[in-house]
């Protein structure tokens, strides 16, 4: 099977998954009491009740749930995700405006995680059960145990408030300007820490396991320098296990972005989602969840491709 | 001067249960181009000896003492850098299970080439050419194309051939083959053994062939060392070992020689098991299993005694109190030569 066919198959396979996600989200939003109109009324108690009823009619919220769902679905199939009730803006426009912010943050978190986890994992595995390994395991365990919001607040308190090294407010520069890096570092580190710690532990375990295999002795018996043995022979095999969890880590980074964006006032999709949930902006909520789901499917696919690139035995099965 | 000279090598593993003396004061020599067999039961220390020659013993193991002289230079005193120049270059290694000895994520060709590039400083193109040539020499058909195959695309026999090509790639002086055929079926085993014989003859490479199988030794080797519990108990030219074994353990092994193609319980016919290497019995370590054991055997540790000169001047020696006249009743075994075996051994002699 060719690579294109494989990719196509995987994307098609994601359709039922995304459908399921939309049904569950839709159902959850309708089970919980209150809708956007209640929220608007709560914000402005002077609105008369006939006006509220008119709004519900206008938004289609007076219809049975399944009609609402079908309406929504019909729109989605034609590329229309509806509008944000409170601002009358297009949902797609809002998502597209916030997306780069979240991608930048997630990517930074990922790169940070990889830069810490791979060398750290190699170091720990090579020096297994020695002091450096023990220290790095302790650090990794702490990284996994500390909640995101707490780590974010602490980093902010120490590095932004006390030391004043980093800015804390909403970034005012454009995303692509170099000074943006300053805004990215604290939230990026916060979001990447748990992934870094998780990945480092997996890296350490898989590398330690690979180091016991006979091909390592064989590579040494060839007279190759230890550096080559580790970085060429062992590393590539160890990375195979890491890629199998990479998609899971991506999902955890995406989930973390909701909290981290809120803590740092980062103008991304995660924060948008929180606001949308508060206001019961159902169209926006659905679009963000669907988009996130699709993104995770893509990340999974990417991980599988990397997996196949690393391991020729898998490649043959495609 | 012998090509390889091992003197009083002792290797221990510091395990949680205690210190395992896997190789205990072992000495032997291998001449240039010689085919040297090492036999013994599982756990006798054959693989540990082999890995020691490349200084590949890993924690918790340690080479405690002794010398390993390659052309007179002590490998145990070399720097890490110097020993790397020896590994794969002057001493090549063939592993028991080729499938696990090959890295699954690199092509077979690359795994041969990398040693050539490293030791002989060939550029990639030349290294590739030489690797293809080697693959061809070890009998891989269509070597040029198979060069870029991954290990899983090779059959077991082909994988072992590739590992042999890898070990021979830098034209080593000594080839250590640690049970190179146990993972293979009988037909493939025979083919691989004759390939090894042919190639080591062609390149005048000495070989240290480790095996469970005295039949294999009979077909291939010039000289044999029998190991028991980390020690050599008998060293002899192959004919002497078969026609006139000196050590009761060797005799035990003989009576349990499997025929080629016979998968019956190899070497199991000697009653009992090898002693715990943490706490080896006092005196002769074989005494709990030796049919001729006497009181003296439980007290006095026998030394390695030369029992006679072999036909080609190489000595035969054995580690048994009989040869220091410390046994009251002596060894009472008779050797009757099995026709099939004498056929094979004689074939060797008159070649
Ligand atoms: N890494 C290790 N840790 C502890 N003990 C070890 C280790 N490697 C080998 N040993 C011990 O050393 C002894 C000799 O082992 P070795 O592998 O050399 O045996 P062998 O003669 O090659 O056996 P086989 O025929 O099964 O390959 C064994 O008793 C084994 O328990
Ligand atoms: S010394 Fe005694 S126990 Fe050891 S081999 Fe000789 S006879 Fe047997
Ligand atoms: Mg072994």
């Amino acid at each position: 099977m060719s690579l294109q066919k494989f990719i196509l198959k995987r994307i098609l396979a994601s359709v039922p998954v995304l459908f399921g996600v939309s049904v569950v989200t839709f159902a959850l939003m309708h089970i919980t009491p209150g809708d956007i109109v209640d929220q608007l009324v709560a914000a402005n108690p002077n609105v008369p009740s006939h006006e509220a009823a008119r709004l519900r009619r206008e938004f289609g919220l007076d219809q049975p749930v399944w009609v609402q769902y079908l309406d929504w679905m019909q729109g989605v199939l034609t590329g229309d995700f509806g509008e944000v009730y409170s601002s009358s803006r297009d949902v797609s426009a809002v998502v597209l405006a916030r997306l780069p912010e979240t991608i930048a943050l997630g990517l930074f978190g990922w790169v940070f995680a990889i830069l810490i986890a791979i060398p750290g994992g190699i170091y720990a595995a090579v020096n297994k059960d020695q002091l450096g390994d023990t220290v790095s395991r302790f650090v990794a365990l702490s990284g996994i145990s500390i909640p995101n919001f707490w780590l974010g607040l602490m980093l902010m308190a120490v590095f932004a408030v006390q030391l004043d090294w980093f800015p804390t407010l909403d970034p005012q520069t454009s995303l692509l300007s170099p000074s943006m890096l300053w805004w990215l570092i604290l939230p990026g580190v916060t979001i990447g820490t748990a992934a870094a710690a998780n990945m480092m532990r997996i890296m350490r375990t898989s590398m330690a396991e690979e180091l016991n295999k006979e091909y390592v002795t064989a590579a040494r018996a060839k007279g190759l320098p230890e550096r080559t043995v580790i970085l060429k022979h062992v590393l590539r095999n160890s990375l195979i296990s890491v890629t199998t969890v990479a998609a899971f880590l991506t999902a955890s980074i995406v989930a973390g972005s909701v909290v981290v964006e809120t803590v740092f006032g980062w103008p991304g999709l995660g924060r948008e989602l929180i606001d949308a949930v508060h206001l019961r902006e159902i169209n926006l909520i659905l679009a963000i969840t669907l988009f996130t789901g699709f993104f995770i499917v893509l990340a999974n696919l990417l991980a599988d491709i990397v997996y196949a690139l690393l391991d020729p035995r898998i490649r043959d099965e495609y | 001067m012998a090509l390889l000279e091992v003197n009083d090598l002792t290797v221990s593993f510091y395990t949680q249960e205690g210190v395992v003396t896997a190789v205990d004061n072992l000495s032997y020599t291998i001449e240039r181009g010689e085919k040297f067999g090492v036999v013994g039961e599982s756990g006798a220390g054959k693989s540990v000896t082999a890995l020691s020659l490349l200084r590949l013993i890993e924690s918790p193991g340690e080479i405690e003492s002794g010398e390993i002289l390659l052309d007179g230079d002590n490998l145990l005193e070399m720097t890490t850098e110097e020993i790397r120049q020896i590994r794969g270059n002057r001493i090549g290694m063939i592993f028991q299970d080729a499938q696990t000895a090959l890295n699954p994520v690199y092509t077979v060709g690359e795994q041969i080439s990398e040693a050539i590039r490293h030791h002989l400083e060939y550029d990639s193109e030349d290294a590739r050419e030489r690797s293809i040539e080697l693959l061809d020499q070890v009998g891989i058909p269509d070597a040029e194309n198979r060069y870029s195959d991954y290990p899983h695309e090779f059959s077991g026999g082909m994988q072992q051939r590739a590992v042999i090509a890898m070990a021979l790639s830098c034209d080593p002086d000594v080839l250590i083959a640690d049970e190179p055929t146990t993972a293979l079926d009988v037909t493939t085993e025979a083919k691989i053994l004759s390939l090894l014989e042919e190639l080591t003859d062609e390149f005048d490479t000495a070989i240290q062939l480790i095996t469970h199988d005295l039949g294999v030794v009979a077909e291939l080797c010039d000289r044999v060392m029998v190991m028991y519990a980390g020690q050599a108990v008998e060293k002899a030219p192959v004919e002497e070992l078969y026609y006139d074994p000196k050590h009761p353990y060797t005799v035990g092994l003989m009576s349990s020689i499997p025929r080629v193609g016979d998968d019956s319980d190899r070497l199991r016919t000697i009653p009992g098991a090898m002693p715990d290497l943490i706490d080896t019995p006092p005196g002769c370590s074989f005494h709990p299993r030796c049919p001729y054991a006497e009181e003296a055997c439980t007290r006095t540790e026998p030394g390695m005694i030369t029992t006679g000169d072999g036909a080609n001047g190489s000595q035969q020696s054995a580690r048994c109190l009989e040869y220091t006249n410390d046994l009251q009743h002596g060894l009472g075994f008779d050797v009757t030569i099995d026709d099939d075996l004498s056929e094979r051994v004689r074939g060797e002699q008159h070649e």
Side-chain angles (χ1 to χ4, degrees):
Chain A
M1 191 158 72
S2 70
L3 191 63
Q4 284 101 318
K5 238 170 114 186
F6 170 71
I7 294 176
L8 195 70
K9 211 174 97 177
R10 289 291 297 268
I11 290 184
L12 285 179
S14 76
V15 171
V17 175
L18 295 177
F19 175 73
V21 167
S22 75
V23 170
V24 170
T25 316
F26 212 88
L28 279 176
M29 290 314 295
H30 281 275
I31 289 168
T32 48
D35 61 12
I36 172 75
V37 178
D38 290 334
Q39 298 297 324
L40 293 177
V41 172
N44 187 358
N46 297 334
V47 177
S49 61
H50 65 87
E51 175 64 8
R54 192 192 63 74
L55 274 178
R56 281 211 174 83
R57 235 182 352 268
E58 186 187 318
F59 296 156
L61 297 177
D62 55 342
Q63 305 281 335
V65 177
W66 61 273
V67 176
Q68 289 185 40
Y69 183 76
L70 287 183
D71 274 353
W72 174 81
M73 182 53 91
Q74 196 179 11
V76 168
L77 291 179
T78 57
D80 176 11
F81 285 84
E83 64 177 18
V84 183
Y85 303 124
S86 55
S87 66
S88 307
R89 288 180 64 199
D90 237 6
V91 164
S92 337
V94 174
V95 169
L96 285 182
R98 302 296 196 142
L99 182 61
E101 304 282 348
T102 293
I103 289 189
L105 185 62
L107 220 57
F108 188 97
W110 246 119
V111 171
F112 170 77
I114 288 173
L115 288 183
I116 299 286
I118 303 299
I122 296 174
Y123 175 84
V126 171
N127 299 290
K128 196 162 179 262
D129 297 328
Q130 290 168 26
L131 182 66
D133 176 37
T134 314
V135 171
S136 75
R137 275 165 72 188
F138 176 76
V139 172
L141 195 63
S142 318
I144 291 172
S145 321
I146 296 178
N148 258 340
F149 75 90
W150 179 251
L151 179 66
L153 289 174
M154 284 298 110
L155 287 180
M156 203 149 44
V158 175
F159 293 102
V161 178
Q162 288 286 322
L163 298 172
D164 202 18
W165 288 352
F166 300 99
T168 43
L169 292 173
D170 259 8
Q172 303 300 328
T173 39
S174 91
L175 197 56
L176 290 178
S177 79
S179 64
M180 193 62 193
L181 205 60
W182 285 113
W183 268 282
L184 258 177
I185 286 178
L186 289 187
V189 166
T190 309
I191 212 173
T193 296
N198 265 314
M199 209 196 304
M200 185 157 116
R201 279 164 36 126
I202 291 155
M203 185 70 198
R204 172 186 179 271
T205 313
S206 77
M207 188 149 216
E209 198 177 296
E210 291 296 325
L211 275 169
N212 281 329
K213 294 203 173 157
E214 196 161 53
Y215 73 80
V216 182
T217 313
R220 288 188 180 128
K222 274 188 246 178
L224 300 176
E226 193 61 15
R227 193 171 8 94
T228 313
V229 174
I230 302 289
L231 296 183
K232 178 176 176 184
H233 287 273
V234 184
L235 180 61
R236 187 154 161 193
N237 281 287
S238 328
L239 284 177
I240 292 173
S241 325
V242 176
T243 46
T244 55
V245 296
F248 160 75
L249 293 179
T250 309
S252 81
I253 285 185
V254 170
S257 73
V258 175
V259 175
V260 173
E261 288 181 5
T262 309
V263 169
F264 284 90
W266 190 262
L269 279 181
R271 215 180 74 182
E272 194 67 46
L273 181 65
I274 294 283
D275 294 347
V277 169
H278 280 145
L279 277 174
R280 308 270 169 219
E281 287 283 6
I282 196 161
N283 286 342
L284 191 53
I285 295 171
L286 280 167
I288 295 178
T289 357
L290 265 197
F291 185 81
T292 310
F294 184 67
F295 182 74
I296 288 175
V297 167
L298 275 190
N300 250 311
L301 181 61
L302 195 71
D304 277 353
I305 292 172
V306 173
Y307 189 34
L309 287 179
L310 286 172
D311 190 346
R313 289 161 298 184
I314 302 298
R315 218 175 300 161
D316 279 2
E317 290 166 20
Y318 287 164
Chain B
M1 184 174 29
L3 172 68
L4 184 76
E5 191 175 332
V6 175
N7 292 322
D8 302 320
L9 180 70
T10 301
V11 184
S12 308
F13 288 88
Y14 291 83
T15 64
Q16 260 153 22
E17 293 77 46
V19 182
V20 179
T21 310
V23 175
D24 185 7
N25 254 300
L26 183 71
S27 302
Y28 63 95
T29 56
I30 299 181
E31 302 294 332
R32 199 164 281 282
E34 188 177 35
K35 296 186 179 64
F36 185 75
V38 178
V39 290
E41 278 168 291
S42 192
K46 306 179 299 289
S47 298
V48 172
T49 306
L51 289 172
S52 302
L53 296 188
L54 289 171
R55 273 196 20 210
L56 283 172
I57 298 294
E58 275 183 73
S59 167
E62 218 161 293
I63 300 180
E64 306 272 19
S65 56
E67 291 180 322
I68 300 173
L69 306 176
L70 181 68
D71 268 337
D73 299 322
N74 190 351
L75 302 185
L76 300 184
E77 280 171 1
M78 289 184 176
T79 62
T80 324
E81 204 33 62
E82 286 167 330
I83 192 76
R84 267 185 210 134
Q85 290 306 312
I86 306 278
R87 292 179 189 159
N89 192 12
R90 299 197 48 206
I91 304 180
M93 178 104 177
I94 300 173
F95 292 83
Q96 173 168 348
D97 186 352
Q99 193 183 346
T100 59
L102 290 164
N103 189 334
V105 302
Y106 288 101
T107 61
V108 171
E110 166 59 20
Q111 294 184 62
I112 303 174
S113 291
E114 66 179 343
I116 300 175
R117 291 197 302 265
H118 182 70
H119 289 300
L120 309 182
E121 289 172 5
Y122 280 31
D123 64 24
S124 338
E125 205 33 57
D126 291 348
R128 186 193 150 88
E129 239 160 69
R130 171 150 171 84
S131 301
I132 291 173
E133 207 175 290
L134 279 159
L135 282 173
D136 191 54
Q137 259 169 341
V138 296
I140 305 276
D142 193 18
E144 177 119 32
N145 285 321
R146 300 313 291 258
Y147 178 92
S148 7
D149 276 6
Y150 286 92
H152 72 274
E153 296 169 285
F154 272 35
S155 69
M158 274 162 66
Q159 287 174 342
Q160 193 56 288
R161 284 170 196 268
V163 169
I164 293 174
M166 208 177 289
L168 287 172
S169 61
C170 299
D171 197 8
D173 299 323
V174 194
L175 195 61
I176 303 168
D178 191 352
E179 309 195 28
T181 55
T182 25
L184 305 172
D185 64 74
V186 185
T187 343
T188 322
E189 168 173 32
K191 282 187 198 147
I192 294 285
L193 286 175
S194 65
L195 174 73
L196 268 181
E197 184 169 23
E198 191 184 301
L199 290 174
T200 45
D201 281 343
E202 187 178 330
F203 296 114
D204 199 25
T205 311
I207 182 167
Q208 173 172 329
L209 179 75
I210 298 169
T211 172
H212 279 145
D213 188 339
L214 273 170
V216 168
V217 167
E219 291 191 35
L220 215 71
C221 296
D222 307 320
R223 235 158 29 94
V224 195
M225 167 166 77
V226 180
M227 280 185 80
Y228 186 78
Q231 295 179 321
V233 293
E234 179 157 3
K235 286 182 275 191
V238 76
E239 303 83 19
E240 271 70 9
L241 193 85
Y242 283 90
Y243 289 117
D244 188 15
K246 295 293 188 205
H247 196 278
Y249 179 64
T250 315
V251 175
L253 288 185
M254 292 295 198
S255 51
S256 55
I257 292 179
R259 306 283 167 270
V260 171
D262 174 11
D263 268 337
S264 63
D265 273 355
R266 300 181 173 186
L267 311 191
R268 286 273 179 74
T269 41
I270 306 174
M274 232 182 39
D276 182 359
L277 294 178
I278 294 175
D279 196 13
T280 30
C284 174
S285 57
F286 186 54
H287 85 250
R289 296 169 75 186
C290 181
Y292 314 103
E294 295 181 5
E295 225 251 300
C297 307
T298 63
R299 279 183 283 107
T300 320
E301 187 177 344
M304 198 70 178
I305 304 295
T306 305
T307 58
D309 286 335
N312 44 13
S314 74
Q315 287 177 341
Q316 182 168 14
S317 50
R319 189 187 288 276
C320 173
L321 292 179
E322 165 77 357
Y323 307 106
T324 44
N325 295 320
D326 287 319
L327 288 188
Q328 284 177 347
H329 306 293
L331 301 176
F333 55 77
D334 270 330
V335 180
T336 49
I337 304 293
D338 178 311
D339 270 350
D340 175 35
L341 180 71
S342 64
E343 208 37 52
R344 272 147 68 184
V345 177
R346 216 175 297 119
E348 253 323 275
Q349 258 173 322
H350 298 302
E351 218 170 33

